Amino acid sequence: MHTIRRPEPPDGSSEKRPVRDWVARRRHALLSSALRGAAYATGAGLVGLGFWAIQQGLQG
């Protein structure tokens, strides 16, 4: 089965579409990485806070 290709618009906007798609994919990847990093940082902070609280409890 063949894909149906639309005729290219005369203004050349089809040339910008791959770049726009690439930017959208990169933006999604960057946001995903940032969210993952924030989740890891939050988890590490909570673990550190837990150990700090245990340490304070043992000292006092």
Side-chain angles (χ1 to χ4, degrees):
M1 187 173 266
H2 292 98
T3 59
I4 299 172
R5 294 189 63 175
R6 290 182 285 175
E8 295 185 13
D11 62 355
S13 62
S14 66
E15 295 173 4
K16 296 177 185 176
R17 183 168 295 142
V19 173
R20 201 175 305 150
D21 291 343
W22 179 83
V23 169
R25 283 194 310 271
R26 293 303 307 155
R27 184 184 312 130
H28 183 266
L30 287 172
L31 289 174
S32 178
S33 295
L35 184 60
R36 186 180 308 121
Y40 281 131
T42 302
L46 288 174
V47 168
L49 187 61
F51 276 108
W52 177 80
I54 291 170
Q55 182 181 14
Q56 294 299 315
L58 292 175
Q59 289 178 357

